[in-house]
Amino acid sequence: MSSSRKLQVVSPVPADIDIANSVEPLHIAEIAKDLNLSPLHYDLYGKYKAKVLLSAFDELKDREDGYYVVVGGITPTPLGEGKSTTTVGLCQALGAYLDKKVVTCLRQPSQGPTFGIKGGAAGGGYSQVIPMDEFNLHLTGDIHAITASNNLLAAAIDTRIFHEASQSDKALFNRLCPANKEGKRSFSDIMFRRLTKLGISKTSPEELTPEEIKKFARLDIDPDSITWRRVMDVNDRFLRKITIGQGPEEKGMTRETGFDISVASEIMAVLALTTSLGDMRERLGKMVIGNSKAGEPITADDLGVGGALTVLMKDAIHPTLMQTLEGTPVLVHAGPFANIAHGNSSIVADKIALKLVGPGGFVVTEAGFGSDIGTEKFMNIKCRYSGLTPQCAIVVATVRALKMHGGGPDVVAGRPLDKAYVSENVSLVEAGCVNLAKHISNTKGYGVNVVVAVNMFSTDTEAELNAVRKFSMDAGAFDAVICSHHAHGGKGAVDLGIAVEKACQNITQPLRFLYPLEISIKDKIEAIAKSYGASGVEYSDQAEKQIEMYTQQGFSNLPICMSKTQYSFSHDASKKGAPSGFVLPIRDVRGSIGAGFIYPLVGTMSTMPGLPTRPCFYEIDIDTVTGKVRGLS
C-alpha cells in the first residue's frame, strides 16, 4: 500500500507510548486515499481520525468482497496473549511488506481498563494503532454517545413509573396526548408502534375506549423486573449497588439498582450487530427493559424513546478510520463486553472494509478473549446477522499460556512471572498444548482453515516454539507460524501473512454454525456447553423461570451469548488445559432482545469493574510543553 512505511526498530523494545509518540502519523486523508475512499464518504475528526460514512458501503455494494479473517486465541492468562498485537502486526505485514490491500477492524477500548489494571488496547510494541492516546481515550465520542443514550432510557423508565403512580388513566393519557391550540389531539409517530403492538388500529386519541386508554397509557412496569441499569465509562466499584429516588420530590419512591460500565450496555451490543441506520432504529426500539406486572415485555419504544436514542447514536454508527505504525488502515468501531455480550467489533466496519479492500484484499477482525468465547460468538451471532463468511481463523498462542495450562504456577497481573515461565521447559509446554488442540478443533468445526500464530517472547526457546508448531500441525491446523511482530512490527509477521493468504485461498467448505436457531433455548445452551467439554448443564430455578418466560414471550429463536469466565473452557477459572466431564451451571438467563441474543450467566460476571490499589492512572500524565501524553500502556 503506497502510504505504508517501514519502522526503525530498536532493542530492547521501548514502552508502547514511547514507540507510538516516536512515529508521526500520516494525515488520515492519505490513508483514505490509499483505500480509494472518496472525501464524500468520510468526515474528518482532526488530522488523524475520520468517520467513514455508511454511504461508502452503498457506493461499493456491488464490488466483490476481500478475504475475511478472524483472530481468536487460546484460553489466556490474566496478562493477555497479544491478540490485538497479532491482529495489527499481521495487517502491517500484509500491507507494508506483502503489498496487499488490507484493513484492520478492532474494537474501541473502554476507559475503564485504560485507567484501571489492564491498560490500553491499541496493540503493543511495534504493532500498534496510532495515535495511541486518541485510540484509548475519547476517540470520536462513540462510547460517550452510548452512555448518554443508555442513561436517557434509564431516566425514562423511572420517570414513567413515578408519573403512573400519581395519575389516573385519564390524566396520564391527557398528558401523553395533549390538545394543541385548536383543541385537537394526535398521536406522535412513535406512539403508533405501541398501538400496533396492542392490536389497536385507531389513528386518533379521541377514538380510544377507556379500556384502550388504560392499555395504551399505563405501562405498569414491575420495578423488580427492571434489567436496565445506568452506565459510565469508568471503573467504579462503589456504584455497583445504589439506591435511587431518595430526594424529597420523589415521594419515597426509592429503588435499588446499580451502574454498569458503558461497554456493557445493550446499546453497545446493538451498535456492534447493526447493519444499517434503519436496522439500528428497530433494534434500539425493541430493547426490553423489564416486564409489566402482567408479565408483558416493556420496550424502549413503549416508553416513546427509541427515536431519541437513535438520534443520540446517529454519528456513532459510522466506524472511525485510523492507522497502524506502518501506515496501514484501521477501522475502530464498537467494543461490546466480551463476557455478557459478544465481544466483537462491528458488522458495519467489517462490511465496509471488505468492499474497500476488494478481491484479493484482506480484512482482519479481532474476536474477544479465547476462541471458546470470542470466535464462537463471532461465528454463531455476528456472522448470522452479517451474512459474512470468514475464510481463515487465527488462534493466537503463547508459550507462557501453554505452560500455565500444562500445570505451571498461577500467572497474576502485577506480579513477576515465576521462573517456570522464563526458563526452558518443553514438557510443560507440551502438557499445555491440550488447550491449544481444543481451540483448533472447535474453530475448525465451523468450516474455516485455522492458522496458529505463536506470539514469541524473548524468553521462549527454539525447542519450546518448535514443540508448539509441531503440536498445532498434528492437531489439524492449516499452518502454525512463529511471530515476532511485537519486537519487529510487520516484518515479524510476514510468514503469518503468507500462511493466512494460503489458508484463505484453500477454503473448500461453507460456514457451519454450532446450532440452528429453531431449536429450544436449552438445546442451544447445551450445544455450546458440549463444545466446551461439558457433560451436561444444570439450571437454577431462576434460570428455568427466565427460559420459560423468554420462550413464552417469543424470544426463543434468538442466538445464545454465553456469559462465562474467559480463563477456562469450563465455568471454573482454576480449571486449566482442556477440562471435560464437568456440569455447566447456569445461574440466570437474561435477554438483550434489541441486540438480538439471549445470554445465560455461568457463575458471577462483574459488569462494573473496580480499580486496583495502584491503577494505571498513576503513570498517565501530559508533557505540558509538547502536549504529548505520557505513561499509557
Side-chain angles (χ1 to χ4, degrees), residues 197-517:
K197 177 180 172 179
L198 295 170
I200 299 170
S201 57
K202 296 168 182 175
T203 57
S204 167
E206 313 292 354
E207 298 172 352
L208 268 59
T209 65
E211 187 189 356
E212 288 170 335
I213 284 172
K214 180 172 184 173
K215 279 170 69 178
F216 171 78
R218 194 163 294 281
L219 300 182
D220 203 25
I221 298 167
D222 176 2
D224 293 335
S225 75
I226 296 170
T227 53
W228 198 265
R229 287 153 61 97
R230 288 157 175 85
V231 300
M232 63 189 301
D233 198 34
V234 173
N235 289 0
D236 191 345
R237 67 179 73 243
F238 287 94
L239 290 176
R240 287 172 181 167
K241 188 175 277 194
I242 62 166
T243 303
I244 58 169
Q246 295 198 9
E249 296 83 4
E250 280 66 66
K251 301 172 181 145
M253 290 186 61
T254 58
R255 182 169 73 84
E256 196 176 87
T257 180
F259 271 73
D260 294 331
I261 196 162
S262 296
V263 291
S265 170
E266 184 178 348
I267 295 176
M268 175 62 92
V270 166
L271 178 65
L273 288 171
T274 198
T275 53
S276 67
L277 186 61
D279 179 61
M280 184 170 76
R281 169 65 188 88
E282 294 307 310
R283 287 176 185 268
L284 291 172
K286 285 194 295 191
M287 293 187 304
V288 173
I289 59 88
N291 298 324
S292 70
K293 287 171 185 166
E296 294 297 317
I298 303 295
T299 66
D301 273 346
D302 286 328
L303 285 153
V305 74
L309 301 182
T310 312
V311 169
L312 283 171
M313 293 292 294
K314 72 179 177 61
D315 295 325
I317 197 172
H318 304 296
T320 300
L321 182 65
M322 295 187 77
Q323 64 192 283
T324 67
L325 286 167
E326 299 193 57
T328 61
V330 180
L331 284 178
V332 185
H333 203 210
F337 227 54
N339 292 108
I340 66 158
H342 64 294
N344 282 261
S345 63
S346 79
I347 286 173
V348 293
D350 290 1
K351 283 193 152 190
I352 290 169
L354 285 163
K355 296 301 180 189
L356 288 172
V357 299
F362 292 83
V363 171
V364 184
T365 191
E366 181 196 355
F369 294 144
S371 67
D372 56 318
I373 298 183
T375 307
E376 184 270 308
K377 294 173 182 179
F378 171 86
M379 300 291 187
N380 291 304
I381 301 175
K382 185 177 178 181
C383 288
R384 277 189 209 271
Y385 284 124
S386 70
L388 299 173
T389 299
Q391 287 78 38
C392 172
I394 294 170
V395 175
V396 178
T398 60
V399 165
R400 174 179 70 195
L402 292 171
K403 284 180 174 179
M404 180 191 72
H405 287 294
D410 284 349
V411 175
V412 181
R415 282 193 213 157
L417 284 168
D418 186 274
K419 65 178 188 299
Y421 295 104
V422 292
S423 52
E424 183 171 284
N425 191 329
V426 176
S427 60
L428 203 58
V429 174
E430 288 175 338
C433 277
V434 292
N435 183 268
L436 174 57
K438 180 79 172 152
H439 284 289
I440 292 170
S441 66
N442 276 12
T443 308
K444 272 188 75 177
Y446 296 108
V448 298
N449 285 327
V450 176
V451 174
V452 174
V454 188
N455 189 13
M456 186 173 79
F457 289 68
S458 59
T459 51
D460 300 341
T461 68
E462 193 174 343
E464 289 172 333
L465 293 166
N466 286 340
V468 179
R469 192 171 185 283
K470 180 181 185 305
F471 197 97
S472 301
M473 300 306 289
D474 291 345
F478 180 86
D479 205 346
V481 183
I482 314 301
C483 310
S484 61
H485 43 273
H486 183 273
H488 302 118
K491 187 178 180 182
V494 167
D495 289 346
L496 178 61
I498 293 167
V500 164
E501 183 174 22
K502 284 181 185 165
C504 287
Q505 291 169 342
N506 282 277
I507 193 69
T508 56
Q509 304 172 67
L511 182 62
R512 294 196 296 264
F513 296 123
L514 197 55
Y515 53 81
L517 290 180

Side-chain angles (χ1 to χ4, degrees), residues 591-620:
S592 286
I593 306 304
F597 53 76
I598 301 286
Y599 63 99
L601 298 173
V602 184
T604 306
M605 288 293 136
S606 174
T607 50
M608 172 53 87
L611 290 171
T613 308
R614 193 183 191 283
C616 294
F617 61 61
Y618 271 88
E619 305 299 329
I620 297 170

Side-chain angles (χ1 to χ4, degrees), residues 108 111 133-144:
Q108 180 183 348
Q111 286 177 184
D133 55 335
E134 295 183 31
F135 178 88
N136 281 305
L137 300 173
H138 306 283
L139 199 62
T140 46
D142 293 357
I143 294 180
H144 302 320

